[in-house]
Amino acid sequence: MSIYKHPGGRRFLFIHIPRTGGRFIESNLESNEWRCEPIDHYGVPHYNHSFIDDCEITHFHRELYEKYFGKEDIPHFTIIRNPIDKFFSASIYLTQAYGLNIQKAAEDESQLYDMIHEYPKPENLNWWRPQVDFLSEKTHIWRYENGLGRRFSKWLSEIIGVNIKMDAFAKYPTNRYERTGQLLRTPKLIENIKKICKQDIEQLYPELI
């Protein structure tokens, strides 16, 4: 989560839920002259990819971004994603941590739960935190499934008060497991994911019930 500021003075809070296109958005914001404001933590400036309270700043959930960014009267926006698709996208971190041969273990509900909650990098647990934990009554919400092109650009421009254009070919850092490390979409694993993502499905994607 970061407050971005434009040379013209406009500011907003981008609530970056992991695996929802945030790196693409950040790259486009920078190319549109928006700059991330650091957090002054004990007199030291901390930027997006620093860690505070065992969490990467760029992935702060509501409790942490309200603690460190306050409740400033500026626009807040985020992108949410189908919880099942989001989970499979994040599954590259499970195979990266536990190995590529964990499909059978992941299809066991208790083992999948343990793999997530005993993940060896606790600072990255927000990859699997419910999306609803990132939202507040002030959050403007866009669905990833609606695309991040012209309609998104228009929607965001109206919220932040500055015209912004999205470059579909914007470059951003990627993980080498992006294409090869996802778990397979088997019915049993999808059933487990639906249980793990129950809150998000009920509150954000009830059509998946």
Side-chain angles (χ1 to χ4, degrees):
M1 310 316 152
S2 300
I3 290 179
Y4 279 85
K5 185 175 182 179
H6 192 266
R10 295 275 188 172
R11 299 166 71 241
F12 67 83
L13 177 65
F14 172 39
I15 302 167
H16 179 178
I17 301 174
R19 313 309 295 181
T20 62
R23 289 168 295 170
F24 172 78
I25 298 300
E26 288 174 351
S27 178
N28 271 281
L29 290 174
E30 291 176 6
S31 67
N32 279 265
E33 299 186 277
W34 291 89
R35 295 293 178 264
C36 172
E37 294 185 357
I39 297 175
D40 186 343
H41 189 54
Y42 294 107
V44 178
H46 285 65
Y47 291 87
N48 263 5
H49 300 292
S50 301
F51 292 85
I52 297 178
D53 287 357
D54 289 330
C55 185
E56 189 174 8
I57 293 173
T58 193
H59 292 153
F60 272 1
H61 52 285
R62 179 179 178 177
E63 178 184 354
L64 290 183
Y65 71 69
E66 288 189 346
K67 176 180 178 180
Y68 289 104
F69 294 121
K71 298 183 179 180
E72 295 193 62
D73 189 21
I74 56 176
H76 293 192
F77 88 90
T78 196
I79 300 163
I80 61 172
R81 186 176 184 180
N82 175 311
I84 296 172
D85 293 339
K86 178 179 176 296
F87 187 96
F88 277 108
S89 178
S91 70
I92 63 172
Y93 297 108
L94 293 177
T95 59
Q96 189 173 346
Y98 299 111
L100 292 171
N101 299 316
I102 61 168
Q103 182 72 35
K104 185 174 180 180
E107 291 177 1
D108 180 282
E109 184 180 346
S110 62
Q111 289 189 65
L112 179 60
Y113 181 90
D114 288 343
M115 281 193 288
I116 291 172
H117 291 273
E118 295 176 8
Y119 192 74
K121 295 182 178 180
E123 67 272 16
N124 295 129
L125 284 175
N126 273 12
W127 285 325
W128 296 282
R129 179 181 289 275
Q131 296 177 75
V132 293
D133 286 357
F134 292 82
L135 311 178
S136 78
E137 64 283 349
K138 296 177 63 174
T139 310
H140 295 274
I141 300 172
W142 180 266
R143 281 193 174 202
Y144 180 91
E145 295 75 30
N146 291 333
L148 300 176
R150 291 183 180 179
R151 285 198 301 153
F152 173 76
S153 296
K154 181 180 179 182
W155 174 82
L156 182 57
S157 297
E158 291 175 352
I159 290 171
I160 64 181
V162 176
N163 189 44
I164 186 168
K165 294 182 179 179
M166 306 300 291
D167 177 6
F169 301 101
K171 294 182 179 180
Y172 54 87
T174 59
N175 185 304
R176 66 188 179 91
Y177 279 76
E178 296 280 354
R179 296 186 179 277
T180 61
Q182 287 193 22
L183 293 169
L184 299 177
R185 290 175 174 252
T186 62
K188 179 56 180 172
L189 182 50
I190 290 175
E191 179 184 333
N192 292 342
I193 294 169
K194 284 186 174 183
K195 293 176 182 178
I196 290 171
C197 299
K198 183 179 179 181
Q199 277 184 283
D200 287 342
I201 290 174
E202 290 181 346
Q203 297 183 44
L204 303 176
Y205 285 83
E207 64 270 24
L208 297 177
I209 296 175

